[in-house]
Amino acid sequence: MRMTMTATEVRSLPAIVDVVTAAEVLGIGRTVAYELVRTDRFPTPVIRVGHQIKIPTAYLLDLLGLSTDRAAASPPAESSG
């Protein structure tokens, strides 16, 4: 089973993912991910809807330094003088 995703794969995820997908993005196992959620130590905000647990992809992108903002992804302009 593959544990990590490429930057392109992460950027193509839907706006909200399940815990297993978030764990794959972070390169951790599902058991560890659920334990982090259970103990309120997951590194991003967690959305609980009934028995479902969802993770906003934007926070995963921020955590990994993979901005969705094109301006942030482009190199800074050089200043003259």
Side-chain angles (χ1 to χ4, degrees):
M1 179 172 124
R2 196 174 102 223
M3 291 292 292
T4 58
M5 301 175 85
T6 67
T8 301
E9 290 171 327
V10 174
R11 286 187 181 107
S12 69
L13 290 172
I16 298 175
V17 296
D18 59 21
V19 175
V20 174
T21 302
E24 185 178 345
V25 168
L26 297 176
I28 61 176
R30 63 179 277 148
T31 303
V32 170
Y34 278 109
E35 177 66 14
L36 292 172
V37 168
R38 187 184 70 77
T39 58
D40 294 324
R41 295 185 300 142
F42 199 80
T44 69
V46 172
I47 300 171
R48 296 172 194 268
V49 182
H51 292 291
Q52 294 183 14
I53 302 168
K54 300 295 183 175
I55 311 296
T57 303
Y59 290 103
L60 293 170
L61 291 168
D62 287 345
L63 182 66
L64 298 173
L66 302 173
S67 176
T68 57
D69 180 8
R70 291 186 190 270
S74 62
E78 293 184 29
S79 60
S80 58

